């Protein structure tokens, strides 16, 4: 995030909370909006995805007491894009100028998720204390990377370590990130290695822009590297072993901090986002943190009751007791045999009973069923159905 964005964006408005909102109110507002605009719930909706990014950005600042304090102080100082001089400033009032002009030269040196050296770095160039030689090129955060991985149903429930091959921008190996073919770039004479140049804006202020000759790097290649064309950055591929936590669900997006592309000039690495796809299981299904399974039972077991052995995922079978008169489609619960939750506990296994009707009967079985039909001939299981139909 650039310093300009840090000051100009109204994060309170983004989350829909007042400026004096408590941490709990901010957290509640963020969770509500995040659920509404999460990409998983709005597939293919670019506007919802952009809104989700804005919400996450606002929460990243307001949800951190230190960042929130810096943000409030900066907004109070600069107001709605206008700088307010102190009591000793000439004129006694405030004067406005475009924040985009003020911070336009610094946006490229900041990084998402952080604020560089804080407002002190901004003020150092703003008031030109000590001249242009006091400024220095800011570290740059590495790019975020997104990848996908497909897990089996069991791997998703139990967790797995998988290899991921990723491509990203990194310091060019051919020139050691210098941009010079021979690895011996010279200091830019325009900015004297700072990567920034000062320009006057009137009123005693001196503003800074990225150096137009070295593009803010502070160095100029004597002979540009053939691989990176003098940029010092090149495409790099690497394979990383990534641990996917237990209980991950299909299409879930996992963030691994600091596992993205390397930063520049000592800046932190970006983040790695892994989208997980989960395959089906021939026996088990999933509902939130619970697993599901359908178990066939005989008519006799359903009518008379009995004990039924039920398989579990990766563990020994469990025995469930069917009460007499168990109807078809009834669901019972085997506690602690489901998916792993975030707190390490497990959900349940939901067992649905399905009465199995035999296609072929032996003579003995047929005689027994005929006797049962005669014994229950006076019972009409559809009587209530017709009564209800007449009364509707």
């Amino acid at each position: 995030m650039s310093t300009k964005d840090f000051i100009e964006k109204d994060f309170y408005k983004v989350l829909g909370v007042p400026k004096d909102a408590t941490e709990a109110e901010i957290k509640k507002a963020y969770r509500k909006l995040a659920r509404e605009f999460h990409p998983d719930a709005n597939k293919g909706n670019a506007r919802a995805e952009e809104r989700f990014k804005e919400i996450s950005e606002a929460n990243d600042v307001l949800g951190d007491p230190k960042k929130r304090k810096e943000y409030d102080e900066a907004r109070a100082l600069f107001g709605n894009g206008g700088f307010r001089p102190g009591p000793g400033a000439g004129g006694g009032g405030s004067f406005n100028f475009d924040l985009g002009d003020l911070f336009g030269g610094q946006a490229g040196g900041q990084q998402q998720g952080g604020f560089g050296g804080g407002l002190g770095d901004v003020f150092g160039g703003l008031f030109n204390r000590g001249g242009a030689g006091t400024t220095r090129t800011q570290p740059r955060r590495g790019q975020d990377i997104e990848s996908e991985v497909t897990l089996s149903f069991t791997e998703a429930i139990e967790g797995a370590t998988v290899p991921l091959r990723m491509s990203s921008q990194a310091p060019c190996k051919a020139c050691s990130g210098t941009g010079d073919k021979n690895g011996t770039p010279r200091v830019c004479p325009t900015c004297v290695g700072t990567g920034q140049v000062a320009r006057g804006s009137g009123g005693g202020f001196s503003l800074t822009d990225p150096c137009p000759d070295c593009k803010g790097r502070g160095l100029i290649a004597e002979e540009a590297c053939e691989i990176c064309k003098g940029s010092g950055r090149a495409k790099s591929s690497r394979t990383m072993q990534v641990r996917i936590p237990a209980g991950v669900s299909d299409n879930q997006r996992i963030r691994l901090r600091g596992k993205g592309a390397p930063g520049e000039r000592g800046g932190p690495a970006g983040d790695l986002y892994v989208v997980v796809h989960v395959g089906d299981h021939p026996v088990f299904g999933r509902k939130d943190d619970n697993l599901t399974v359908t178990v066939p039972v005989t008519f006799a077991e359903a009518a008379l009751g009995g004990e039924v052995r039920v398989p579990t995922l990766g563990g020994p079978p469990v025995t469930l007791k069917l009460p007499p008169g168990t109807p078809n489609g009834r669901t019972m619960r085997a506690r602690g045999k489901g998916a792993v939750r975030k707190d390490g506990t497990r959900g349940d296994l939901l067992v649905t009973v399905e009465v199995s009707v035999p296609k072929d009967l032996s003579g003995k079985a047929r005689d027994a069923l005929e006797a049962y039909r005669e014994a229950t001939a006076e019972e009409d299981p559809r009587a209530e159905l017709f009564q209800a139909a007449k009364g509707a």
Side-chain angles (χ1 to χ4, degrees):
M1 183 192 305
S2 68
T3 309
K4 176 177 178 290
D5 288 343
F6 184 50
I7 295 175
E8 284 191 342
K9 290 185 178 181
D10 189 344
F11 294 133
Y12 292 101
K13 185 176 180 181
V14 172
L15 294 183
V17 296
K19 289 184 174 60
D20 59 352
T22 64
E23 291 185 23
E25 290 172 336
I26 291 173
K27 182 182 294 185
K28 181 179 180 181
Y30 165 69
R31 288 180 174 176
K32 178 181 178 181
L33 293 171
R35 284 194 299 268
E36 181 180 352
F37 293 99
H38 196 281
D40 291 348
N42 299 273
K43 294 182 179 179
N45 189 334
R47 175 57 191 147
E49 184 176 352
E50 184 63 29
R51 181 81 170 102
F52 182 75
K53 291 180 180 178
E54 294 174 354
I55 295 165
S56 300
E57 184 180 64
N59 182 66
D60 185 57
V61 174
L62 300 186
D64 186 315
K66 183 179 179 181
K67 291 181 182 179
R68 183 182 181 184
K69 183 175 182 293
E70 292 178 358
Y71 172 71
D72 289 340
E73 290 175 350
R75 295 270 295 178
L77 178 61
F78 283 87
N80 296 321
F83 179 77
R84 300 172 184 169
S94 64
F95 58 95
N96 295 320
F97 49 83
D98 185 7
L99 274 177
D101 182 45
L102 172 61
F103 295 108
Q106 301 217 5
Q110 300 297 331
Q111 62 270 18
Q112 181 182 357
F115 308 102
L119 292 177
D121 290 338
V122 178
F123 297 153
L126 177 63
F127 293 103
N128 195 26
R129 295 174 181 172
T134 60
T135 60
R136 61 183 178 86
T137 305
Q138 294 293 319
R140 180 176 296 177
R141 179 180 182 271
Q143 292 180 332
D144 292 337
I145 302 175
E146 184 165 303
S147 185
E148 295 181 314
V149 64
T150 299
L151 301 180
S152 69
F153 189 90
T154 302
E155 287 175 329
I157 299 301
E158 302 297 337
T161 299
V162 296
L164 285 182
R165 184 170 180 81
M166 297 168 291
S167 296
S168 63
Q169 292 292 318
C172 178
K173 294 182 179 179
C175 63
S176 300
T178 64
D180 188 88
K181 181 179 180 179
N182 301 314
T184 55
R186 61 186 173 90
V187 174
C188 175
T190 304
C191 64
V192 198
T194 65
Q196 297 175 338
V197 292
R199 61 182 173 90
S201 63
F205 288 93
S206 178
L207 310 180
T208 57
D209 285 334
C211 178
D213 293 332
C214 66
K215 304 298 188 291
R217 299 186 67 237
L219 300 172
I220 293 180
E222 292 284 0
E223 186 177 356
C225 172
E226 297 176 356
I227 303 299
C228 67
K229 310 303 180 185
S231 68
R233 305 284 286 182
K235 190 173 182 180
S236 175
S237 297
R238 55 182 172 141
T239 300
M240 178 185 300
Q241 298 294 324
V242 175
R243 178 64 186 176
I244 305 298
V248 67
S249 57
D250 188 37
N251 290 323
Q252 184 173 338
R253 193 166 182 253
I254 301 174
R255 179 186 184 186
L256 301 175
R257 296 181 183 272
K259 299 300 182 181
E264 292 185 69
R265 298 184 291 276
D271 297 333
L272 170 63
Y273 291 88
V274 181
V275 179
V276 180
H277 302 291
V278 180
D280 295 327
H281 194 281
V283 173
F284 298 96
R286 184 171 178 180
K287 185 177 181 181
D288 298 328
D289 293 329
N290 300 319
L291 298 183
T292 61
V293 64
T294 299
V295 177
V297 298
T298 65
F299 174 76
E301 289 174 326
L304 302 177
E307 293 184 344
V308 178
R309 294 176 75 244
V310 178
T312 63
L313 184 67
V318 295
T319 300
L320 295 181
K321 186 174 182 180
L322 291 181
T326 297
N328 182 62
R330 179 175 179 178
T331 298
M332 297 180 292
R333 188 181 299 266
R335 298 192 179 278
K337 301 300 180 180
V340 179
R341 300 189 181 102
K342 290 183 179 180
D343 61 1
T345 62
R346 284 184 174 269
D348 302 329
L349 176 63
L350 304 180
V351 182
T352 300
V353 172
E354 184 179 76
V355 177
S356 177
V357 179
K359 295 181 180 180
D360 299 314
L361 292 174
S362 65
K364 185 177 180 180
R366 180 177 293 277
D367 292 341
L369 281 178
E370 289 290 353
Y372 172 77
R373 180 161 59 181
E374 291 178 5
T376 58
E378 296 182 359
E379 299 179 7
D380 185 0
R382 294 172 289 278
E384 293 184 1
L385 175 68
F386 284 95
Q387 290 179 358
K390 289 181 179 179

